[in-house]
Amino acid sequence: MPGLAGVPAARSRISDVDGQGGVLEYRGIRIEELASKSTFLETAFLLLFSRLPAHLELERFTADITRHRRIKFKIIDLIKCLPETGHPMDALQAAVAALGMFYPGRSVRDPENNYWSAVRLIAKLPTIVAAFARIRHGDDHVPPRDELSFSENFLYMLTERVPDRLVADILDVCLILHAEHTMNASTFCGLVTASTLADPYTVVASAIGALKGPLHGGANEEVMAMLREIGTVERVRPYVYAKLEKKEPIMGFGHRVYKVKDPRAVILQQLTRKLFAQYGKSPLYELVEEVERVGLELLAHKKVYPNVDFYSGIVYEQMGIPSDMFTPVFAMARVAGWLAHWLEQLQENKLYRPDQIYEGEHGRRYLPLDQRG
Ligand SMILES: CC(C)(COP(=O)(O)OP(=O)(O)OC[C@H]1O[C@@H](n2cnc3c(N)ncnc32)[C@H](O)[C@@H]1OP(=O)(O)O)[C@@H](O)C(=O)NCCC(=O)NCCS
């Protein structure tokens, strides 16, 4: 079965998608409810521990994450040694793998160790992402500030400015929307690594590697490239027609599972409107709306609708996040889902060792070098 399409890779209780109904649930709670009522850290707790935290539990979890946001100076030094032209996902993967070297030999069978590993990874990913974004331009790393919320602090570490409340709240919703999505490529990759009983830093480093590819995490960056290529509202219709004529995809449209509009795209579209109502419309906003209008006209009959990546790029750009940092921001959110799957895998671990269909030859003779043609 190419790509294991339709083959269940695990039993899971973490999230579920109804692609026909356009429903996404984390631990049975609909994404719309979490996006409007929860925070990223509360949602991360829900994913990890399968229930919403009580008041004191949430306070403790938030305080633990806040306390672990700092990264060791050796990790900063490592980031300084990376080429500034390198992709931020490679920097993130290298730094996360290195992070594990500071916490060696801790058994993954000990729930206490596993709690602290999850806390460290959720807490430190934004610090690593922001540090690379600044250091590659020759700027200093901006250390985290404890009084700022998770999302406020990330934008502060990235831009050295405390963001407006609305902007930080919208980023927090974006992180909720990206925190988990059933058995996708990066989650599966993390699970395979987890099944060898590797440490969680290695699990997350593997998942980051899988997320980097353009078929998985990179589509929102490509939506922004498409909008820039189109340039003006008048050019949208000819551009979309030409793409479809050449049988090329409109980026940010279509999904393997959703055959209606992705529920996360619906929420992001509302957030985009809110953001641009507050800060004034950018030319890109008008373009994105026109691409959706024309795209729907031509693709809805094939059940191809905007996906989560269609609006996320334009939201991140308005926040001052550089476009090659979109996938690292995705990783900052998805680490919660990866870790939830890692913990679930450990409950009844079985080493992944799939079969294959061998199509090669048997019984060939080894020819010495001087007898080969
Ligand atoms: C995600 C994606 C790979 C899913 O592809 P898929 O599962 O093969 O899609 P479907 O089988 O539902 O496609 C049905 C039809 O719609 C077309 N289609 C799907 N997505 C399309 C898109 N983005 N633009 C134009 N046509 C598209 C297919 O070519 C196919 O046409 P056909 O029946 O004439 O051959 C695909 O939609 C895509 O490449 N999208 C753009 C990249 C993107 O935004 N990725 C992020 C996903 S979250």
Side-chain angles (χ1 to χ4, degrees), residues 50-341:
S50 74
R51 60 190 168 77
L52 287 168
H55 190 72
L56 277 176
E57 285 175 321
L58 182 59
E59 254 181 27
R60 184 187 155 206
F61 186 61
T62 306
D64 289 344
I65 297 270
T66 304
R67 217 153 14 96
H68 283 83
R69 283 170 178 166
R70 275 169 188 72
I71 49 178
K72 294 185 186 286
F73 79 85
K74 287 189 173 179
I75 297 284
I76 299 284
D77 285 354
L78 175 118
I79 293 171
K80 283 182 185 163
C81 292
L82 298 172
E84 57 273 19
T85 48
H87 197 283
M89 284 296 276
D90 292 331
L92 182 62
Q93 190 185 37
V96 168
L99 200 60
M101 296 170 78
F102 291 96
Y103 312 100
R106 292 169 203 226
S107 167
V108 294
R109 299 193 194 279
D110 179 345
E112 181 80 7
N113 277 344
N114 291 349
Y115 173 79
W116 289 111
S117 300
V119 161
R120 277 191 210 103
L121 280 158
I122 294 171
K124 293 184 195 301
L125 253 68
T127 315
I128 294 170
V129 171
F132 182 71
R134 294 185 61 82
I135 288 170
R136 68 176 171 171
H137 294 308
D139 293 325
D140 274 337
H141 153 60
V142 174
R145 263 174 49 186
D146 286 359
E147 76 280 15
L148 300 179
S149 75
F150 189 85
S151 293
E152 269 175 335
N153 180 60
F154 170 65
L155 291 170
Y156 164 71
M157 290 189 299
L158 190 69
T159 63
E160 226 179 343
R161 281 194 317 274
V162 177
D164 291 352
R165 197 52 196 254
L166 175 72
V167 171
D169 287 350
I170 289 180
L171 177 62
D172 214 60
V173 178
C174 292
L175 298 181
I176 292 175
L177 299 181
H178 286 86
E180 161 63 10
H181 209 240
T182 72
M183 193 52 65
N184 49 80
S186 58
T187 300
F188 180 53
C189 184
L191 271 190
V192 173
T193 308
S195 80
T196 70
L197 298 185
D199 65 87
Y201 305 92
T202 307
V203 169
V204 171
S206 312
I208 290 170
L211 185 67
K212 183 192 170 193
L215 293 186
H216 190 5
N220 52 8
E221 216 178 314
E222 299 206 30
V223 171
M224 298 310 288
M226 172 181 78
L227 295 177
R228 289 207 179 83
E229 190 186 336
I230 297 175
T232 60
V233 173
E234 303 72 53
R235 291 182 52 189
V236 168
R237 192 165 285 275
Y239 175 92
V240 174
Y241 272 86
K243 278 274 174 194
L244 297 184
E245 187 78 24
K246 286 188 275 179
K247 301 222 170 296
E248 288 175 8
I250 306 303
M251 296 316 289
F253 267 72
H255 199 279
R256 250 313 127 74
V257 185
Y258 293 114
K259 297 304 161 199
V260 293
K261 190 164 173 176
D262 183 333
R264 299 166 300 172
V266 175
I267 298 167
L268 270 173
Q269 185 173 22
Q270 290 159 0
L271 295 180
T272 312
R273 289 204 173 119
K274 226 168 151 179
L275 195 64
F276 286 95
Q278 177 80 15
Y279 296 101
K281 286 189 178 168
S282 83
L284 287 184
Y285 177 78
E286 280 159 17
L287 271 181
V288 87
E289 290 223 309
E290 182 65 5
V291 174
E292 171 158 12
R293 210 171 1 256
V294 177
L296 284 177
E297 248 176 56
L298 300 172
L299 291 169
H301 71 284
K302 292 187 178 181
K303 299 187 192 284
V304 172
Y305 293 90
N307 60 47
V308 67
D309 293 312
F310 190 63
Y311 280 98
S312 58
I314 190 164
V315 168
Y316 291 156
E317 179 157 294
Q318 179 70 25
M319 291 173 176
I321 301 174
S323 63
D324 64 352
M325 288 285 158
F326 294 171
T327 316
V329 171
F330 187 165
M332 274 162 43
R334 186 55 61 85
V335 70
W338 294 330
L339 291 167
H341 283 273

Side-chain angles (χ1 to χ4, degrees), residues 24-71:
L24 168 61
E25 290 173 328
Y26 294 171
R27 301 285 187 187
I29 303 178
R30 281 183 74 136
I31 193 70
E32 293 80 359
E33 217 176 345
L34 292 168
S36 62
K37 298 178 185 160
S38 187
T39 60
F40 172 65
L41 287 187
E42 186 185 58
T43 298
F45 187 103
L46 170 73
L47 289 168
L48 291 171
F49 307 115
S50 74
R51 60 190 168 77
L52 287 168
H55 190 72
L56 277 176
E57 285 175 321
L58 182 59
E59 254 181 27
R60 184 187 155 206
F61 186 61
T62 306
D64 289 344
I65 297 270
T66 304
R67 217 153 14 96
H68 283 83
R69 283 170 178 166
R70 275 169 188 72
I71 49 178

